[in-house]
Amino acid sequence: MDYAYANLSTKKFILMSTPQYIGRFAPSPSGPLHFGSLIAALGSYLRAHSQQGQWLVRIEDIDPPREIIGASDDILRTLDAYGLHWHGSVLYQHQRYDAYQQQIDELIRHDQAYFCQCTRKIIQAHGGIYDGRCGLRQPPLTQGAIRIRNQANVDHFNDLVQGDVTVDKRFAAEDFIIKRSDGLYAYQLAVVLDDAYQGITEVVRGCDLLEASCRQMSLFSLLGLDAPQWLHLPLACVQKGFKLSKQNHAPAINTKQPQASINAALSFLGQPEVDVDAIEVMLQQAVAQFSLDGIPKHKEIVLAATNLAT
């Protein structure tokens, strides 16, 4: 498996061999893959392969303070151990900084984005939703975080598993941050530009990003880009409202004997378990049996204690 960084030929490769369906798995290198990560990876892999499409891997490494040295390579080795092989080269977001900045510069030049110096305390004092005050300042600020002038206000969308999703209209209308005051690029901007760059036709991920989808759809609209379809999987939780995550120190999945974890993830996704065999054979069977209708229409599922040790 090639762990090399993506290069400028990546875009050429995708444009020359674009299938009808392109999906992706986009982990952040803040720790090893856990069972919740496996659900997202396997769900997106099965969906892409069941559609005879491409399945890409992107490392979302735009938040260095949260990242762990060596985590990116560990994630790729784990995917390899589970037979979850990706198409093309891995795209690392840190290689896309110039593209992010060029888009921000263009937005500011056309008064579609502006600098903001409001703190969280100020925003909380005014109801918890940012009211756009810095966008009205004359002369405009030249330092601080950068916010998009959100004139799209997308507050609902259809999800292929969760159905009709609606968010609070005030949240949907907020001028959200696209570059932080510490100089780091915001997730919302990076993920939209990268999904468009890679030609992603459908995003399969966890329900923790349901609300974020509306903001991303707003940004797709504001930038004149085609938005993908959305498919949000239930979150694996240790208790109600407490998802498995790297920040919560969820244990890493077993890379030596992955068969049990694969069947546990299939069961979580409402898919038939497969015969225990070589990983490649198990995945072929899982793709052949995959059913979108089988995925539970829940935002979260509390795991049994046995699954926590998988």
Side-chain angles (χ1 to χ4, degrees), residues 39 162 206-207 232-236 268-269 295-296 298-301:
I39 290 165
Q162 304 301 327
C207 276
H232 286 83
L233 305 171
L235 295 175
F268 181 95
L269 289 168
I295 299 175
H298 303 299
K299 292 183 173 60
E300 62 180 37
I301 296 174

Side-chain angles (χ1 to χ4, degrees), residues 96-155:
R96 297 267 296 148
Y97 286 175
D98 286 348
Y100 306 155
Q101 189 59 51
Q102 287 173 12
Q103 182 64 76
I104 287 174
D105 291 344
E106 183 176 346
L107 289 168
I108 290 177
R109 186 162 53 248
H110 291 90
D111 196 32
Q112 293 176 303
Y114 58 89
F115 289 92
C116 171
Q117 295 180 354
C118 291
T119 63
R120 291 183 181 179
K121 185 176 180 180
I122 291 173
I123 295 171
Q124 285 299 322
H126 290 85
I129 296 289
Y130 177 68
D131 59 8
R133 61 184 52 219
C134 288
L136 302 175
R137 295 185 62 162
Q138 292 296 332
L141 295 169
T142 57
Q143 292 182 326
I146 299 175
R147 294 181 180 270
I148 188 82
R149 290 193 190 276
N150 182 8
Q151 298 175 325
N153 301 347
V154 175
D155 65 356

